[in-house]
Amino acid sequence: MSALFQPFRLRDVTVPNRVWMAPMCQYSAAPAGPDTGAPNDWHFAHYAARAAGGTGLILVEATAVSAEGRISPYDLGIWNDTQVEAFRRITRFLVSQGTVPGIQLAHGGRKASTDQPWKGGAPVGPDTYGWQPVAPSPVAFDERHPVPDELTVTQIGEVIGQFADAARRALAAGFEVAEIHGAHGYLINEFLSPHSNHRTDAYGGSYENRTRFALEVVDAVREVWPDDKPLFFRISATDWLEDGGWTADDTVRFAADLRAHGIDLLDVSTGGNASGVHIPTGPGYQVPFAARVKAGTSLSVAAVGLITEAEQAEKILANDEADAVLLGRELLRNPSWARHAARELGGEVHVPDQYHRSV
């Protein structure tokens, strides 16, 4: 029987298959007004299509824990009850299709306050719904981005509280899985890496200090997230720097720490924290990083990155390189990828009654 279409249980949540949707920002929420940050018809149609296509778990895109935590003014947020109510429409439909609804909780850090990518993605100011970004250190991401304000220890505590509040709201919105976004050069990743964290206090310098903020966020979220529901962490396994960055060895070490603090699965990506680096992309190029974590720890792992073919995904699981695969662009191209893969591999997947003629 196909490994890709075996159910996967984490705590008391069972995902019907191992084809999962990676969080991908849509940059389509209202940037201002009463519906700021709330999902709308676009988001509903986008996620509903992938659920109807048989995807086992959908991780809703990076959803900001505060208004200034958005990557762009057009990002989703979950810092108020209006947003919670709008998310309920999505989670109800996903559950009706047998899909487990998950959400990625995020803070953009020094890469926040940028325009929609199809408009160039440049930083935006107050005249176009923007704001001043914050970070562990006053170090700009690149020459285009402004120098961020350095977070004080008091402000760090406030952000940790925002993650916990967002988790409470995610639960009220009907999500079964929460993922903490610690990757791609956003705030938590900025604290982890010595490339972006130049602090000299308890949140900078040593490995223990640089990981402190991330683990305090995990602890705060785990305290309010129910014991019967799984908590994920997305990480960039490497900065792709030859020196002075976060490394694959750091990731394996940190995975064990995350496990001890209540993380159930590590979503392994790479890059995003250093500009101008060369990333040797190719089919499954990030899978070896997931495989290292799986081999070196007891933590469950999901692999992501140019996984496009059913047989490719099947081999990743059969070779014990990961416990599940996360598809991104391929699910944008083909919302019914899971159904097509099940047909190819002889697996079973949910098909809506209305689509019975497609089987």
Side-chain angles (χ1 to χ4, degrees), residues 259-276:
R259 179 74 172 125
H261 283 256
I263 290 295
D264 300 289
L265 180 139
L266 193 65
D267 171 359
V268 183
S269 187
T270 66
N273 193 43
S275 65

Side-chain angles (χ1 to χ4, degrees), residues 31-43:
D35 294 324
T36 300
N40 52 40
D41 286 349
W42 172 263
H43 299 95

Side-chain angles (χ1 to χ4, degrees), residues 114-180:
T114 57
D115 206 349
Q116 293 159 312
W118 50 86
K119 294 180 180 177
V124 294
D127 56 335
T128 47
Y129 308 113
W131 59 92
Q132 173 63 20
V134 296
S137 301
V139 180
F141 174 67
D142 61 18
E143 64 279 356
R144 290 203 314 169
H145 286 73
V147 175
D149 290 343
E150 180 175 285
L151 287 165
T152 66
V153 172
T154 298
Q155 289 172 323
I156 288 172
E158 291 171 353
V159 174
I160 292 168
Q162 289 167 352
F163 270 94
D165 289 342
R168 290 190 190 95
R169 290 192 170 95
L171 182 64
F175 288 100
E176 294 288 321
V177 173
E179 175 174 273
I180 296 168

